Amino acid sequence: MSSRPRAWVSWSSGKDSAMALDSVREAGELEVVGLLTTVNSEFDRVAMHGVRRALLQAQAGALGLPLHVVELPWPCSNEDYERLMGAAVARARGEGIDVMVFGDLYLQDVRGYRERALAGSGIEPQFPLWGQPTAELARQALRSGVKAIVACVDSAQVVEPIAGCWYDEALLARLPAGVDPCGENGEFHTVVVDGPGFRAPIAVRPGEVVVRDGFIFADVLLADQDGPPE
């Protein structure tokens, strides 16, 4: 039996989560035993990213890790969110989880929120990517084999039509000045379909692109999914 601390990764379905997972696996100091994700139960998609549950489940399968889903109502108040996340943390601790790994890069208010949320829970937050220059981190992700698609774009921050595009060198070159190359300020979000630790790439096909509440969502479907986009 491993004597290393047991960890879950806070899994958004995007590249930063994938990089954080790879980082802690490479370091070898933690035993990663699961992924924790929030899903909007009304739309059956990953909160904020808009990624379908079927694709989320395919990611977990490709990574060989159990998926722990927090079902969020819609609309979801702060009180509901904190209650549901608190229950998930308590469940994690009950399963012997010692560490929660986050892919945050430099937003101190976000990190502080996570640290406060876990304070006194018995679970330690870790931020393996923290403080790394994001331009270099973006290219490190590509060099490591991360394959990701831009699934959500904040149209107030990015006017370039990148929703549905592959996250690659060409896309990085197209980003307007002031847009973080990792999208850390919420400019865009990605969904990973291959990368370090994946047993095999996830075959996908493009769905429709929709605009909702100022965000542009590019649907990404499993290649063998029947029928038109929902």
Side-chain angles (χ1 to χ4, degrees):
M1 180 179 295
S2 173
S3 61
R4 295 175 295 168
R6 289 162 52 84
W8 283 359
V9 172
S10 178
W11 184 258
S12 69
S13 75
K15 58 177 177 40
D16 296 339
S17 294
M19 289 291 286
L21 171 59
D22 183 50
S23 179
V24 296
R25 278 178 158 176
E26 281 289 311
E29 296 177 358
L30 301 176
E31 181 187 5
V32 179
V33 295
L35 308 174
L36 179 67
T37 307
T38 56
V39 167
N40 181 319
S41 58
E42 176 71 18
F43 300 105
D44 208 30
R45 294 173 184 258
V46 176
M48 199 62 245
H49 288 227
V51 172
R52 292 172 182 258
R53 189 188 296 258
L55 182 47
L56 172 66
Q57 292 170 331
Q59 289 178 323
L63 290 165
L65 290 170
L67 180 65
H68 305 273
V69 174
V70 180
E71 304 280 353
L72 300 180
W74 179 257
C76 184
S77 67
N78 286 338
E79 291 77 9
D80 283 340
Y81 178 84
E82 291 179 359
R83 174 177 55 81
L84 292 166
M85 287 301 296
V89 168
R91 187 164 63 251
R93 189 61 188 143
E95 294 185 19
I97 300 306
D98 306 293
V99 174
M100 193 74 71
V101 176
F102 298 96
D104 300 300
L105 306 180
Y106 59 75
L107 296 178
Q108 188 61 56
D109 57 338
V110 175
R111 176 170 178 158
Y113 177 84
R114 301 197 195 285
E115 290 172 336
R116 290 191 298 274
L118 289 175
S121 68
I123 294 179
E124 173 196 349
Q126 288 195 15
F127 304 85
L129 307 181
W130 188 259
Q132 297 187 35
T134 54
E136 172 55 29
L137 187 61
R139 287 169 174 83
Q140 179 185 332
L142 300 181
R143 289 194 300 268
S144 73
V146 167
K147 301 290 190 298
I149 299 169
V150 178
C152 174
V153 177
D154 182 350
S155 61
Q157 298 192 72
V158 184
V159 296
E160 190 76 16
I162 63 172
C165 293
W166 286 97
Y167 184 79
D168 55 17
E169 288 283 359
L171 182 136
L172 293 175
R174 291 172 56 194
L175 292 178
V179 172
D180 188 275
C182 289
E184 180 67 353
N185 298 299
E187 298 100 326
F188 61 90
H189 302 284
T190 60
V191 57
V192 173
V193 297
D194 195 15
F198 276 62
R199 294 170 173 173
I202 301 171
V204 294
R205 62 184 177 89
E208 65 179 345
V209 177
V210 300
V211 179
R212 184 179 297 115
D213 300 326
F215 291 88
I216 305 167
F217 293 93
D219 206 3
V220 181
L221 298 94
L222 295 175
D224 59 359
Q225 185 170 337
D226 294 330
E230 296 174 358

